[in-house]
Amino acid sequence: MGYGLLAGAIVAEILATTSMKYSDGFTRLWPSVITGVGYVVAFALLAQALKTLQVGTAYAIWSGVGTAAVAALGILFLGETLSLAKIAGIVLIIAGVVVLNLGGAH
C-alpha cells in the first residue's frame, strides 16, 4: 500500500511541476491551479506513504523518480536540450534510488 501511495505522490508531483512550466510564472489560471493542487496531493500522498515506508527510502524514490521523469519530459516534450551531463545526472539519480532500495537505507 505504501508504494502505491508513493507512486501516486510521484505522478502528482510530476503533473504539478510540468504544469508550473505552463503557468507562465503563475500568470495563467488553470496551469497555476493544477500546480497548487498537484503539490498538495503529492505531499498528502507522500505523508500517507510515510506511515509504512522509511522516510529516507521514500523521499529518495519520490524526489529521484520525480526529478528524472521531469527531466525526461522536458527533453521529450518541452524542447529542452539533451547533453551528456544531463544523461549522467539522470543515471546517477536512478542509481542512487536503486542503491537505497537495495539496502543503503535499511
Side-chain angles (χ1 to χ4, degrees), residues 63-84:
S63 61
V65 172
T67 301
V70 169
L73 288 172
I75 292 164
L76 293 172
F77 300 111
L78 301 174
E80 295 181 5
T81 59
L82 178 62
S83 67
L84 187 57

Side-chain angles (χ1 to χ4, degrees), residues 10-74:
I10 292 167
V11 170
E13 189 265 337
I14 292 167
L15 177 65
T17 302
T18 304
S19 295
M20 190 185 310
K21 170 71 174 171
Y22 291 106
S23 76
D24 197 27
F26 294 114
T27 60
R28 296 182 59 218
L29 177 63
W30 291 113
S32 300
V33 169
I34 293 169
T35 298
V37 171
Y39 280 121
V40 168
V41 170
F43 282 112
L45 291 173
L46 179 60
Q48 293 302 308
L50 291 177
K51 289 181 177 180
T52 59
L53 301 176
Q54 294 182 17
V55 68
T57 301
Y59 188 72
I61 294 169
W62 181 74
S63 61
V65 172
T67 301
V70 169
L73 288 172

